[in-house]
């Protein structure tokens, strides 16, 4: 099986998350059927949405999304310019300030790794089942 990848970079936060979700869906559809089941596709799109939202909110307002299809796995990688590592927070049930996304990404992915960039920044990699 060959791997397939796609890359998207954005600097416009207003539509960036929606565009990232659309790019993920288009990537998964391009793999053909039955490469990724509906539930798995929804999970990939959800993880893309959370990682891009976190990159925009906490990572400096810019991101690069990379999607790679491996045998049995989809790799979602989101790079941002901030060297600050993601951290688990207690979800805010009162004021709605977040804290749910990083927990969700770690629960849905088989494996999550954060790698520092060579010139600052970081990339969050999440491996998800196909």
């Amino acid at each position: 099986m060959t791997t397939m990848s796609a890359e998207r970079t954005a600097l416009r936060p207003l539509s960036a998350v929606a565009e990232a979700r659309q790019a993920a869906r288009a990537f998964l559809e391009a793999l053909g059927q039955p490469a990724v089941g509906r539930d798995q596709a929804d999970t990939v799109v959800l993880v893309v949405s959370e990682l891009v939202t976190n990159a925009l909110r906490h990572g400096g307002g810019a991101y690069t999304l990379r999607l790679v299809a491996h045998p049995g796995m989809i790799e979602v990688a989101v790079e941002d310019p901030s060297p600050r590592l993601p951290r688990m927070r207690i979800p805010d049930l009162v004021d709605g300030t977040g804290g749910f996304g990083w927990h969700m990404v770690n629960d849905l992915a088989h494996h999550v790794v954060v790698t520092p960039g060579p010139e600052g920044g970081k990339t969050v990699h999440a491996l998800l089942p196909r």
Side-chain angles (χ1 to χ4, degrees):
M1 171 179 270
T2 54
T3 59
M4 182 176 171
S5 65
E7 185 171 318
R8 182 151 191 105
T9 302
L11 296 169
R12 295 174 292 133
L14 292 178
S15 61
V17 177
E19 289 173 4
R21 285 192 300 262
Q22 290 171 346
R25 288 235 181 254
F27 172 80
L28 295 170
E29 288 171 10
L31 294 175
Q33 293 298 331
V36 179
R38 183 179 200 139
D39 288 344
Q40 291 86 358
D42 289 344
T43 299
V44 169
V45 171
L46 178 59
V47 168
V48 164
S49 182
E50 289 299 328
L51 291 180
V52 168
T53 297
N54 286 349
L56 293 170
R57 185 176 290 162
H58 307 292
Y63 75 93
T64 299
L65 168 65
R66 289 183 194 87
L67 299 163
V68 181
H70 301 285
M73 302 293 266
I74 300 292
E75 179 181 357
V76 175
V78 176
E79 179 182 344
D80 70 55
S82 172
R84 270 190 12 190
L85 300 178
R87 63 180 176 84
M88 292 290 184
R89 295 178 24 209
I90 296 172
D92 183 353
L93 300 173
V94 177
D95 296 321
T97 60
F100 295 93
W102 189 237
H103 288 279
M104 192 177 346
V105 168
N106 280 275
D107 288 344
L108 293 172
H110 279 318
H111 194 63
V112 178
V113 175
V114 181
T115 54
E119 298 175 19
K122 66 184 168 300
T123 303
V124 179
H125 302 266
L127 291 174
L128 301 151
R130 281 177 86 156

